[in-house]
Amino acid sequence: MKINKLLAAASLVTFCFAAGAAQAETLQMWVRSGIGASFTKLVEAYNASHDDKVQMTEVPFSELVQKYATAIAGGQAPDALSLDLIYNPAFAAAGQLEDLTDWAKALPYFAALSPSHVKLGTYEDKIYGLPLLVETSVFAWNKDLYQKAGLDPDKAPTTWEEISDNAKKIRALGDDIYGFYFSGGGCGGCMIFTFTPLVWGAGADILSEDGKTATLDTPEMRKAVGYYRDMVKAGVVPPGAASDTGANFLSITNGKIGQQNLGAFAIGTLVTEHPDIHFGVSLIPSVDGKTSSFAGGDNFVITKGSPRAALAKNFLEFAYSPEGQKVMATYGSLPTRSDIAAEVLKDLDPRMQVGVDAIAIGKTPYTLQFNDLINSANGPWASFTNAAIFGDDVDGAFASAQEEMQSIIDNAQ
């Protein structure tokens, strides 16, 4: 069942928690499976230092959104949820989330919270979600392969011409060494995360600001597609990239990929699990050299009507405290507060600062149809990136995706 239909059904159900009841002792919170140590350690720290507790329940990632919508419809929803920020607008529009506007704006550090997360948590000028887990996309390169290819291992490329040239020199090392990688097999989530920064930094976008108009076919997007097509044609990208639906998203960890756009989470993965790989990270350059990033991760939302809303807010304030931010950063999560990020990251891997720098320039498409437009493996964005980069009819790929995206938007109005 489509998420929008579930939300529509949920909006017809009226459920209430007992008014005036004493504040419960335990906050029921759902999170996606594999949420990681940064959040589980945060919960442990909170529970160890507070009388009230947080009961965290992991739900399989692929089921979380639908299960939450179903739980709302049945009056069995948890008090709070760690929700992928891309779905925040849809749940807010359906009237299923607690309005946090006044409380949020009264936080003394509100202006320092990740702007993209706050934007995605806002619907019709009211705030229904705030940043919990912040993720950004960055550019990474293998320093050892750079050095073997005669490149400066400490110099980050700043243009796609330079990245392409470096990729060819790395590929010239031979065998199964490749110069660049991306998961291009219809992985919409992978490509919105790593590819759209090429156009965002240049001032273009795939959707209008209000999300009601598809703006895919731009000179900037055609230029970005051109860079990737040229690298594929030059043989610097492994053939498997064309069918990779995300299973090999962290291919740089195999030591045979010279360059790749990644999530900042990969910094911790490389450091802790692949210490033999010497790597650098920088912001992703756009087609005109300016930088950008995808701002991803989770927003913290409270189910409308929860009698434990005050407890939920207390927990989130702990997460935003210097102590909470330090716990999360120690286990690989980026700080959500820019005003204390430097202090929080002190004594941690300095490359994490690049991920923090990306927060200020990060973007996330704002649309109630994110899944149908972008995330779906059969959706127009996923089909477009594969066809435009690997196919023979670039103009056809642009025309088809532009038309299908606009149709999805129009039909949802």
Side-chain angles (χ1 to χ4, degrees):
M1 183 182 293
K2 286 184 176 292
I3 292 168
N4 288 344
K5 290 183 179 179
L6 276 169
L7 289 173
S11 67
L12 296 176
V13 176
T14 301
F15 69 98
C16 300
F17 296 96
Q23 178 172 308
E25 199 173 354
T26 301
L27 179 79
Q28 297 295 332
M29 182 173 179
W30 287 2
V31 302
R32 55 183 166 78
S33 58
I35 194 169
S38 64
F39 187 73
T40 58
K41 293 295 183 182
L42 175 73
V43 171
E44 289 176 11
Y46 180 85
N47 287 344
S49 58
H50 292 74
D51 292 332
D52 294 321
K53 307 300 179 186
V54 174
Q55 177 65 50
M56 183 186 73
T57 300
E58 293 195 29
V59 178
F61 178 73
S62 61
E63 301 173 14
L64 181 59
V65 171
Q66 181 169 321
K67 186 172 182 178
Y68 184 53
T70 302
I72 291 173
Q76 301 296 318
D79 300 300
L81 183 76
S82 181
L83 177 67
D84 190 325
L85 79 163
I86 63 175
Y87 296 114
N88 206 149
F91 279 97
Q96 305 306 323
L97 305 177
E98 196 73 16
D99 181 355
L100 307 176
T101 309
D102 293 340
W103 171 75
K105 290 186 175 180
L107 295 172
Y109 43 79
F110 175 70
L113 297 177
S114 171
S116 283
H117 288 68
V118 174
K119 178 181 178 181
L120 270 288
T122 302
Y123 177 73
E124 293 185 344
D125 298 323
K126 292 185 180 296
I127 299 171
Y128 296 94
L130 289 172
L132 180 63
L133 299 172
V134 176
E135 186 56 64
T136 55
S137 50
V138 297
F139 175 83
W141 72 96
N142 184 312
K143 290 189 172 186
D144 291 334
L145 293 182
Y146 259 48
Q147 190 161 25
K148 290 178 181 179
L151 301 167
D152 184 346
D154 297 317
K155 182 179 180 296
T158 57
T159 67
W160 280 92
E161 288 84 0
E162 192 175 357
I163 292 171
S164 299
D165 288 343
N166 291 353
K168 293 172 184 175
K169 292 175 182 178
I170 293 168
R171 181 67 183 114
L173 295 174
D175 298 325
D176 54 354
I177 305 297
Y178 286 88
F180 191 74
Y181 191 83
F182 61 97
S183 299
C187 182
C190 304
M191 293 299 281
I192 197 72
F193 193 57
T194 62
F195 184 62
T196 43
L198 275 71
V199 300
W200 283 339
D205 209 334
I206 65 171
L207 295 172
S208 60
E209 186 68 19
D210 62 6
K212 295 182 179 180
T213 305
T215 57
L216 185 68
D217 195 349
T218 62
E220 292 84 1
M221 179 59 78
R222 285 183 175 265
K223 192 172 183 180
V225 166
Y227 283 125
Y228 271 49
R229 284 182 64 86
D230 288 347
M231 286 193 288
V232 169
K233 185 177 180 180
V236 304
V237 177
S243 57
D244 179 17
T245 58
N248 298 315
F249 185 73
L250 292 182
S251 282
I252 198 169
T253 60
N254 66 22
K256 298 177 180 181
I257 300 297
Q259 306 168 116
Q260 187 176 356
N261 290 343
L262 295 166
F265 71 88
I267 297 173
T269 301
L270 285 162
V271 169
T272 59
E273 299 179 24
H274 304 275
D276 54 320
I277 296 180
H278 304 105
F279 69 98
V281 291
S282 64
L283 298 175
I284 299 174
S286 70
V287 294
D288 70 355
K290 297 184 181 72
T291 54
S292 188
S293 177
F294 182 93
D298 289 6
N299 267 356
F300 184 90
V301 301
I302 302 173
T303 303
K304 187 175 182 179
S306 168
R308 288 167 284 277
L311 175 54
K313 293 173 182 176
N314 187 56
F315 171 66
L316 188 57
E317 288 189 57
F318 176 77
Y320 288 157
S321 70
E323 178 187 354
Q325 293 281 282
K326 186 70 173 183
V327 169
M328 296 179 76
T330 299
Y331 289 92
S333 181
L334 297 177
T336 54
R337 286 178 55 184
S338 61
D339 59 328
I340 59 173
E343 181 61 28
V344 167
L345 293 177
K346 187 179 180 181
D347 302 325
L348 299 179
D349 193 297
R351 286 169 290 197
M352 288 185 68
Q353 183 61 47
V354 177
V356 173
D357 293 342
I359 294 174
I361 57 173
K363 293 190 66 172
T364 315
Y366 189 104
T367 172
L368 303 185
Q369 292 79 45
F370 195 101
N371 191 66
D372 291 341
L373 289 170
I374 296 167
N375 257 12
S376 172
N378 299 315
W381 169 252
S383 299
F384 163 74
T385 52
N386 182 266
I389 294 170
F390 295 101
D392 297 325
D393 186 4
V394 176
D395 289 338
F398 269 97
S400 176
Q402 174 76 24
E403 181 180 359
E404 186 177 354
M405 289 178 75
Q406 192 60 55
S407 177
I408 291 173
I409 295 169
D410 291 343
N411 290 337
Q413 301 306 310

